[in-house]
Amino acid sequence: MKALLTVLGWLLLLQGLGGLLNTLFGWWRWAHGLLVVNRLPFLEGYEVFAAIVIGVLGLALLAVADSMKKAEGGR
């Protein structure tokens, strides 16, 4: 379970950071179709906010996965 949370956390964190950088600076035109914030039509106009929320959710999942690891005794 913690491995799944870690993978999902990293994916969401990368999606959030990539979406934020792409929206603010226009970098990675080739990755426009790979970013979640660009693929969902209801997020149009809210890309920056959505990217921040996705990144924070990724950080939260990584924190939960880390706390699970510590609760199990560091295994």
Side-chain angles (χ1 to χ4, degrees), residues 15-25 35 37 47-49 51-52:
Q15 281 287 321
L17 288 175
L20 188 62
L21 290 174
N22 190 36
T23 303
L24 292 178
F25 301 114
L35 298 170
V37 291
E47 291 91 355
V48 173
F49 177 71
I52 291 170

Side-chain angles (χ1 to χ4, degrees), residues 43-48:
L43 292 177
E44 190 172 327
Y46 300 101
E47 291 91 355
V48 173

Side-chain angles (χ1 to χ4, degrees), residues 12 22-23 38 43 53 55-56 59 65 73-75:
L12 287 174
N22 190 36
T23 303
N38 297 329
L43 292 177
V53 169
V56 169
L59 284 174
R75 282 187 265 160

